[in-house]
Amino acid sequence: MILRKQITGLFFALALTQAGTFAAYGAQKGEWELSDDGKHWQYMYSWDEPAKDEWVEDNGKTYYLDSKGYMKTGWVTDKDDGRKYYMGPDGAMCFNMFADDGRYVGPDGSRMETYDKYRKAIRSEIKKAAPKKTNTRTSRKKTQAADAAQNQPQTQQFFLVTDINGDGYRDLMVMEGVQEPEDLVRVAVWVPEDQKFELSAEFDRSDNGEKRTLYLDPEGEEVWLEMTQRSGELSLFQMEYGEAVFKNMWSFTMENDSEGVPGYYINGSEVDREHWELSMTHAKQERGNLPVTGFLPVTDENLAAQIDRVLGAEELELWWE
């Protein structure tokens, strides 16, 4: 892991200086002048020799002049590496920011397509967790039921984008509630090798009394999913480091025999009630008592603040290709 970070850091450092390599195309010094029609800037090596179809560096900034010698703004595709680079309104290459069209510009001035794909995928996962819309024009009975439902407190979605498996990439958790998050709906983990989210947990909306809660372990490093029933039955699942799925760690169930006498089971094996209760206490200690918090209502403002973020140095190392 340490070696990987050292190598990644090396490539990242190279990326920060890559823009300077464009200067080789325009090593000859020139001056900026407006074209004859007054609409375009040109970089003139002499009065009749404009820079054409090349990158030039001037006062520490990188520019691109097209085949007509006009300074370009917006996205420019480099013919050598095939990457798209973003030039600002002043024509200078931009770094580590959002372009006007919402796409992200990396530390070398090129588009970070994987990060764009990731941000789009988060919004898609949240939409998948939203309640399915139903057609109310079916029958009078269903219409009346829908009208009655409107008089009930309306639930809303809450989301949290955070790294839950320790690989550095922020994952997604979605919950529902009336005024605060109460019911876990969806957990999805970003898998960088596949460049997509893998569904870790998904639950139907039900009123059977089942409660689902996410906890951090006592060290605050691993996430646990707890599922409890009204009967007192309990299941615990752990998201291990670097994994994308929850592993079933503990299962405490009860089952009545033919005479109605309850039997107690831990991970499928029958035990006495005292052992069952003591083991459950131990399992909860292993789980920890710190529920995962920080969920925000799903609004355009919150989504933009949490998803469309300018990356810091450590995150740039993750996303830069």
Side-chain angles (χ1 to χ4, degrees):
M1 179 62 72
I2 295 176
L3 177 61
R4 174 185 174 276
K5 284 188 174 292
Q6 290 175 339
I7 295 174
T8 304
L10 173 62
F11 281 113
F12 179 64
L14 291 174
L16 293 177
T17 59
Q18 183 171 337
T21 63
F22 293 123
Y25 291 97
Q28 183 180 350
K29 198 66 177 173
E31 294 183 358
W32 292 102
E33 294 183 9
L34 279 172
S35 59
D36 292 339
D37 60 11
K39 296 181 179 180
H40 306 279
W41 283 103
Q42 296 180 291
Y43 192 76
M44 306 297 295
Y45 296 130
S46 64
W47 71 271
D48 62 346
E49 186 185 358
K52 290 184 178 181
D53 199 20
E54 63 181 91
W55 300 93
V56 299
E57 184 173 327
D58 184 59
N59 291 325
K61 296 183 178 181
T62 303
Y63 302 83
Y64 183 74
L65 290 304
D66 66 14
S67 59
K68 295 181 180 180
Y70 297 158
M71 182 186 74
K72 297 291 291 183
T73 61
W75 291 101
V76 173
T77 301
D78 183 79
K79 295 180 179 179
D80 293 328
D81 63 18
R83 287 178 173 266
K84 293 182 181 294
Y85 294 86
Y86 186 69
M87 323 304 288
D90 63 349
M93 183 181 291
C94 299
F95 307 96
N96 196 28
M97 59 171 286
F98 287 99
D100 289 342
D101 59 8
R103 291 183 285 182
Y104 199 80
V105 184
D108 66 343
S110 69
R111 180 188 175 191
M112 293 180 66
E113 295 189 38
T114 304
Y115 185 50
D116 288 339
K117 186 175 182 179
Y118 163 81
R119 293 185 297 115
K120 182 178 180 180
I122 288 184
R123 287 182 165 86
S124 176
E125 290 293 325
I126 291 176
K127 287 183 178 179
K128 292 176 183 178
K132 301 296 186 293
K133 294 182 179 180
T134 56
N135 185 359
T136 58
R137 296 186 298 176
T138 52
S139 67
R140 178 177 299 179
K141 185 175 181 180
K142 287 187 178 181
T143 301
Q144 291 174 343
D147 291 340
Q150 291 180 357
N151 296 325
Q152 299 297 320
Q154 296 296 305
T155 61
Q156 68 177 99
Q157 281 185 299
F158 297 83
F159 77 106
L160 176 62
V161 183
T162 187
D163 180 15
I164 64 174
N165 67 349
D167 66 354
Y169 294 92
R170 298 192 306 153
D171 309 303
L172 174 68
M173 291 173 278
V174 181
M175 298 188 74
E176 284 188 346
V178 177
Q179 294 182 332
E180 59 183 27
E182 299 173 341
D183 194 16
L184 183 65
V185 176
R186 192 178 187 89
V187 180
V189 171
W190 179 258
V191 182
E193 294 81 7
D194 300 331
Q195 295 188 15
K196 67 178 183 179
F197 277 99
E198 182 170 326
L199 186 62
S200 303
E202 183 177 32
F203 302 97
D204 294 329
R205 294 150 185 85
S206 62
D207 57 357
N208 60 5
E210 180 181 80
K211 184 178 180 181
R212 303 176 287 269
T213 310
L214 292 168
Y215 288 89
L216 285 175
D217 68 8
E219 286 73 34
E221 296 179 350
E222 294 181 331
V223 172
W224 288 74
L225 167 61
E226 178 184 271
M227 300 172 58
T228 58
Q229 307 288 340
R230 288 175 179 171
S231 61
E233 293 179 309
L234 169 70
S235 295
L236 286 170
F237 305 82
Q238 185 184 44
M239 176 72 71
E240 295 183 329
Y241 181 85
E243 297 296 324
V245 296
F246 284 102
K247 181 180 179 180
N248 189 356
M249 303 296 292
W250 294 97
S251 176
F252 298 89
T253 57
M254 294 182 292
E255 184 177 340
N256 292 336
D257 61 18
S258 58
E259 297 180 356
V261 178
Y264 298 88
Y265 298 84
I266 299 177
N267 295 341
S269 299
E270 187 172 10
V271 297
D272 60 55
R273 180 172 180 174
E274 182 179 2
H275 185 190
W276 192 80
E277 292 177 344
L278 287 174
S279 296
M280 184 182 294
T281 299
H282 170 74
K284 288 182 178 180
Q285 290 174 344
E286 186 178 359
R287 174 210 68 191
N289 294 311
L290 184 63
V292 175
T293 59
F295 287 83
L296 297 171
V298 175
T299 65
D300 291 340
E301 293 77 12
N302 287 337
L303 289 174
Q306 295 297 312
I307 300 174
D308 302 327
R309 303 182 314 125
V310 174
L311 298 174
E314 291 186 3
E315 289 180 299
L316 280 171
E317 288 191 37
L318 289 173
W319 291 108
W320 185 72
E321 301 172 346

